[in-house]
Short mmCIF file of all heavy atoms in Angstrom, two decimals:
data_model
loop_
_atom_site.label_atom_id
_atom_site.label_comp_id
_atom_site.label_asym_id
_atom_site.label_seq_id
_atom_site.Cartn_x
_atom_site.Cartn_y
_atom_site.Cartn_z
N ILE A 178 109.62 109.95 110.63
CA ILE A 178 109.82 110.92 111.70
C ILE A 178 108.68 110.75 112.69
O ILE A 178 107.50 110.84 112.32
CB ILE A 178 109.85 112.37 111.17
CG1 ILE A 178 110.97 112.52 110.14
CG2 ILE A 178 110.01 113.36 112.33
CD1 ILE A 178 111.01 113.86 109.46
N ILE A 179 109.03 110.51 113.94
CA ILE A 179 108.04 110.35 114.99
C ILE A 179 108.11 111.58 115.88
O ILE A 179 109.14 111.85 116.50
CB ILE A 179 108.28 109.06 115.81
CG1 ILE A 179 108.24 107.84 114.88
CG2 ILE A 179 107.25 108.93 116.94
CD1 ILE A 179 108.61 106.53 115.54
N GLY A 180 107.02 112.33 115.93
CA GLY A 180 106.95 113.57 116.70
C GLY A 180 107.11 114.75 115.77
O GLY A 180 108.21 115.05 115.31
N ILE A 181 106.00 115.41 115.47
CA ILE A 181 106.04 116.48 114.47
C ILE A 181 105.80 117.83 115.15
O ILE A 181 104.70 118.39 115.09
CB ILE A 181 105.01 116.23 113.34
CG1 ILE A 181 105.19 114.83 112.75
CG2 ILE A 181 105.15 117.29 112.25
CD1 ILE A 181 106.59 114.55 112.21
N GLY A 182 106.85 118.31 115.81
CA GLY A 182 106.87 119.68 116.30
C GLY A 182 107.61 120.51 115.26
O GLY A 182 107.66 120.15 114.08
N GLN A 183 108.21 121.59 115.68
CA GLN A 183 108.94 122.45 114.73
C GLN A 183 110.10 121.71 114.09
O GLN A 183 110.31 121.80 112.88
CB GLN A 183 109.43 123.70 115.44
CG GLN A 183 108.33 124.65 115.82
CD GLN A 183 108.86 125.89 116.53
OE1 GLN A 183 110.03 125.99 116.89
NE2 GLN A 183 107.98 126.86 116.74
N PHE A 184 110.88 120.98 114.88
CA PHE A 184 112.03 120.24 114.35
C PHE A 184 111.58 119.14 113.40
O PHE A 184 112.09 119.01 112.28
CB PHE A 184 112.86 119.67 115.50
CG PHE A 184 113.98 118.78 115.06
CD1 PHE A 184 115.10 119.30 114.46
CD2 PHE A 184 113.92 117.40 115.25
CE1 PHE A 184 116.16 118.47 114.04
CE2 PHE A 184 114.94 116.57 114.85
CZ PHE A 184 116.06 117.10 114.24
N GLY A 185 110.64 118.32 113.83
CA GLY A 185 110.16 117.22 113.00
C GLY A 185 109.53 117.69 111.71
O GLY A 185 109.74 117.10 110.64
N TYR A 186 108.77 118.76 111.78
CA TYR A 186 108.11 119.34 110.60
C TYR A 186 109.16 119.83 109.59
O TYR A 186 109.09 119.51 108.41
CB TYR A 186 107.19 120.48 111.03
CG TYR A 186 106.23 120.96 109.98
CD1 TYR A 186 104.95 120.42 109.90
CD2 TYR A 186 106.58 121.96 109.07
CE1 TYR A 186 104.04 120.87 108.95
CE2 TYR A 186 105.68 122.40 108.12
CZ TYR A 186 104.42 121.86 108.05
OH TYR A 186 103.52 122.30 107.10
N ALA A 187 110.12 120.59 110.08
CA ALA A 187 111.17 121.12 109.20
C ALA A 187 111.99 119.98 108.60
O ALA A 187 112.34 120.01 107.41
CB ALA A 187 112.07 122.09 109.97
N ALA A 188 112.31 118.97 109.40
CA ALA A 188 113.09 117.82 108.91
C ALA A 188 112.31 117.09 107.82
O ALA A 188 112.88 116.71 106.78
CB ALA A 188 113.44 116.89 110.06
N ALA A 189 111.02 116.90 108.03
CA ALA A 189 110.19 116.19 107.05
C ALA A 189 110.16 116.93 105.71
O ALA A 189 110.36 116.32 104.65
CB ALA A 189 108.77 116.02 107.59
N LEU A 190 109.94 118.23 105.77
CA LEU A 190 109.87 119.00 104.52
C LEU A 190 111.20 119.01 103.78
O LEU A 190 111.25 118.91 102.55
CB LEU A 190 109.40 120.42 104.80
CG LEU A 190 107.97 120.55 105.34
CD1 LEU A 190 107.59 122.02 105.48
CD2 LEU A 190 106.96 119.82 104.47
N GLN A 191 112.32 119.10 104.52
CA GLN A 191 113.63 119.11 103.86
C GLN A 191 113.95 117.74 103.27
O GLN A 191 114.51 117.65 102.17
CB GLN A 191 114.72 119.53 104.84
CG GLN A 191 116.05 119.81 104.17
CD GLN A 191 115.96 120.94 103.14
OE1 GLN A 191 115.50 122.02 103.45
NE2 GLN A 191 116.39 120.67 101.92
N LEU A 192 113.59 116.67 103.97
CA LEU A 192 113.80 115.33 103.42
C LEU A 192 113.01 115.13 102.13
O LEU A 192 113.51 114.57 101.16
CB LEU A 192 113.42 114.26 104.45
CG LEU A 192 114.43 114.04 105.57
CD1 LEU A 192 113.81 113.25 106.72
CD2 LEU A 192 115.67 113.32 105.04
N ILE A 193 111.77 115.60 102.11
CA ILE A 193 110.94 115.52 100.90
C ILE A 193 111.59 116.33 99.77
O ILE A 193 111.71 115.85 98.63
CB ILE A 193 109.51 116.02 101.18
CG1 ILE A 193 108.73 114.99 101.99
CG2 ILE A 193 108.77 116.38 99.89
CD1 ILE A 193 108.35 113.73 101.24
N GLU A 194 112.02 117.55 100.09
CA GLU A 194 112.65 118.40 99.08
C GLU A 194 113.91 117.74 98.51
O GLU A 194 114.23 117.91 97.34
CB GLU A 194 112.99 119.76 99.68
CG GLU A 194 113.49 120.75 98.64
CD GLU A 194 113.68 122.15 99.20
OE1 GLU A 194 112.79 122.62 99.94
OE2 GLU A 194 114.73 122.76 98.90
N ASN A 195 114.61 116.96 99.34
CA ASN A 195 115.82 116.27 98.90
C ASN A 195 115.51 114.97 98.15
O ASN A 195 116.43 114.23 97.82
CB ASN A 195 116.73 115.99 100.09
CG ASN A 195 117.35 117.25 100.67
OD1 ASN A 195 117.21 118.33 100.10
ND2 ASN A 195 118.01 117.11 101.80
N GLY A 196 114.23 114.67 97.95
CA GLY A 196 113.85 113.51 97.14
C GLY A 196 113.65 112.22 97.90
O GLY A 196 113.64 111.15 97.29
N ASN A 197 113.46 112.28 99.19
CA ASN A 197 113.27 111.07 99.99
C ASN A 197 111.80 110.76 100.21
O ASN A 197 110.95 111.64 100.11
CB ASN A 197 113.95 111.26 101.37
CG ASN A 197 115.42 111.49 101.22
OD1 ASN A 197 116.17 110.58 100.93
ND2 ASN A 197 115.86 112.72 101.42
N GLN A 198 111.50 109.52 100.53
CA GLN A 198 110.18 109.10 100.97
C GLN A 198 110.09 109.40 102.46
O GLN A 198 111.00 109.04 103.21
CB GLN A 198 109.96 107.61 100.74
CG GLN A 198 109.91 107.21 99.28
CD GLN A 198 108.63 107.69 98.64
OE1 GLN A 198 107.55 107.56 99.19
NE2 GLN A 198 108.76 108.27 97.45
N VAL A 199 109.03 110.06 102.90
CA VAL A 199 108.93 110.44 104.31
C VAL A 199 107.56 110.06 104.87
O VAL A 199 106.52 110.45 104.33
CB VAL A 199 109.15 111.95 104.51
CG1 VAL A 199 109.01 112.34 105.98
CG2 VAL A 199 110.53 112.36 104.00
N CYS A 200 107.61 109.31 105.97
CA CYS A 200 106.42 108.99 106.74
C CYS A 200 106.52 109.77 108.05
O CYS A 200 107.56 109.73 108.72
CB CYS A 200 106.37 107.49 107.05
SG CYS A 200 105.04 107.03 108.18
N VAL A 201 105.47 110.51 108.38
CA VAL A 201 105.45 111.24 109.65
C VAL A 201 104.40 110.62 110.56
O VAL A 201 103.35 110.16 110.10
CB VAL A 201 105.18 112.75 109.46
CG1 VAL A 201 106.30 113.40 108.68
CG2 VAL A 201 103.85 113.00 108.80
N ILE A 202 104.72 110.60 111.85
CA ILE A 202 103.81 110.02 112.84
C ILE A 202 103.72 110.97 114.01
O ILE A 202 104.73 111.43 114.55
CB ILE A 202 104.33 108.65 113.32
CG1 ILE A 202 104.46 107.69 112.14
CG2 ILE A 202 103.41 108.09 114.41
CD1 ILE A 202 105.16 106.40 112.47
N ASP A 203 102.48 111.26 114.40
CA ASP A 203 102.25 112.09 115.58
C ASP A 203 100.89 111.70 116.14
O ASP A 203 100.01 111.25 115.41
CB ASP A 203 102.27 113.58 115.22
CG ASP A 203 102.46 114.47 116.44
OD1 ASP A 203 101.47 114.72 117.16
OD2 ASP A 203 103.60 114.90 116.67
N LYS A 204 100.71 111.90 117.44
CA LYS A 204 99.44 111.55 118.07
C LYS A 204 98.38 112.64 117.92
O LYS A 204 97.21 112.42 118.18
CB LYS A 204 99.64 111.21 119.55
CG LYS A 204 100.16 112.36 120.39
CD LYS A 204 100.41 111.91 121.82
CE LYS A 204 101.03 113.03 122.63
NZ LYS A 204 101.34 112.59 123.99
N ASN A 205 98.79 113.82 117.44
CA ASN A 205 97.88 114.94 117.29
C ASN A 205 97.31 114.98 115.87
O ASN A 205 98.05 115.23 114.91
CB ASN A 205 98.62 116.24 117.62
CG ASN A 205 97.73 117.45 117.64
OD1 ASN A 205 96.82 117.58 116.83
ND2 ASN A 205 98.01 118.36 118.56
N ILE A 206 96.01 114.76 115.74
CA ILE A 206 95.38 114.70 114.42
C ILE A 206 95.48 116.02 113.65
O ILE A 206 95.62 116.02 112.43
CB ILE A 206 93.91 114.23 114.52
CG1 ILE A 206 93.32 113.95 113.12
CG2 ILE A 206 93.04 115.24 115.26
CD1 ILE A 206 93.93 112.79 112.42
N SER A 207 95.45 117.15 114.34
CA SER A 207 95.53 118.43 113.63
C SER A 207 96.92 118.62 113.02
O SER A 207 97.05 119.18 111.93
CB SER A 207 95.15 119.60 114.53
OG SER A 207 96.06 119.73 115.60
N ILE A 208 97.95 118.16 113.70
CA ILE A 208 99.31 118.22 113.14
C ILE A 208 99.41 117.34 111.90
O ILE A 208 99.95 117.75 110.87
CB ILE A 208 100.36 117.82 114.20
CG1 ILE A 208 100.45 118.89 115.28
CG2 ILE A 208 101.71 117.55 113.57
CD1 ILE A 208 101.31 118.51 116.48
N ILE A 209 98.86 116.14 111.99
CA ILE A 209 98.88 115.22 110.85
C ILE A 209 98.09 115.82 109.68
O ILE A 209 98.52 115.75 108.53
CB ILE A 209 98.33 113.84 111.27
CG1 ILE A 209 99.30 113.15 112.24
CG2 ILE A 209 98.06 112.95 110.06
CD1 ILE A 209 100.70 112.92 111.70
N SER A 210 96.96 116.43 109.98
CA SER A 210 96.15 117.06 108.92
C SER A 210 96.91 118.17 108.21
O SER A 210 96.77 118.35 107.00
CB SER A 210 94.86 117.63 109.51
OG SER A 210 94.07 116.59 110.03
N ASN A 211 97.72 118.92 108.96
CA ASN A 211 98.47 120.04 108.37
C ASN A 211 99.63 119.60 107.49
O ASN A 211 100.05 120.35 106.61
CB ASN A 211 99.00 120.96 109.47
CG ASN A 211 97.92 121.78 110.11
OD1 ASN A 211 96.88 122.03 109.51
ND2 ASN A 211 98.13 122.19 111.35
N ILE A 212 100.15 118.40 107.71
CA ILE A 212 101.35 117.99 106.97
C ILE A 212 101.08 116.87 105.97
O ILE A 212 101.89 116.62 105.09
CB ILE A 212 102.48 117.59 107.95
CG1 ILE A 212 103.84 117.57 107.24
CG2 ILE A 212 102.17 116.27 108.65
CD1 ILE A 212 105.03 117.41 108.14
N GLN A 213 99.94 116.22 106.04
CA GLN A 213 99.70 115.02 105.25
C GLN A 213 99.84 115.21 103.74
O GLN A 213 100.26 114.30 103.03
CB GLN A 213 98.34 114.41 105.58
CG GLN A 213 97.16 115.24 105.15
CD GLN A 213 95.84 114.63 105.60
OE1 GLN A 213 95.83 113.57 106.24
NE2 GLN A 213 94.74 115.28 105.26
N ASP A 214 99.53 116.39 103.23
CA ASP A 214 99.65 116.64 101.79
C ASP A 214 101.07 116.98 101.35
O ASP A 214 101.34 117.08 100.16
CB ASP A 214 98.71 117.78 101.37
CG ASP A 214 97.25 117.41 101.55
OD1 ASP A 214 96.93 116.20 101.50
OD2 ASP A 214 96.43 118.33 101.74
N LYS A 215 101.97 117.13 102.32
CA LYS A 215 103.34 117.53 102.00
C LYS A 215 104.34 116.37 102.07
O LYS A 215 105.49 116.53 101.68
CB LYS A 215 103.78 118.64 102.96
CG LYS A 215 102.93 119.90 102.86
CD LYS A 215 103.32 120.91 103.92
CE LYS A 215 102.53 122.17 103.77
NZ LYS A 215 101.40 122.28 104.66
N VAL A 216 103.91 115.23 102.62
CA VAL A 216 104.81 114.09 102.82
C VAL A 216 104.25 112.85 102.13
O VAL A 216 103.12 112.86 101.63
CB VAL A 216 105.02 113.82 104.33
CG1 VAL A 216 105.72 114.99 105.00
CG2 VAL A 216 103.70 113.50 105.03
N SER A 217 105.03 111.79 102.11
CA SER A 217 104.61 110.55 101.47
C SER A 217 103.48 109.87 102.23
O SER A 217 102.51 109.39 101.64
CB SER A 217 105.80 109.60 101.36
OG SER A 217 106.92 110.24 100.79
#
């Protein structure tokens, strides 16, 4: 998922919950810091 706003964040968490491998990419380091422990 490229672009982690509300939609990207929700999509990432649901994909993880469904058992998928998820890589998230965003240019904002604080967004990446907030989600890095929840995704692959």
Side-chain angles (χ1 to χ4, degrees):
I178 302 174
I179 302 174
I181 308 303
Q183 290 180 351
F184 174 72
Y186 193 92
L190 295 184
Q191 191 60 54
L192 284 165
I193 286 289
E194 187 173 315
N195 291 352
N197 299 287
Q198 293 288 315
V199 179
C200 173
V201 296
I202 301 171
D203 197 280
K204 63 183 176 183
N205 186 322
I206 189 67
S207 64
I208 290 172
I209 292 301
S210 296
N211 287 336
I212 197 171
Q213 68 184 0
D214 295 334
K215 299 174 177 99
V216 296
S217 310

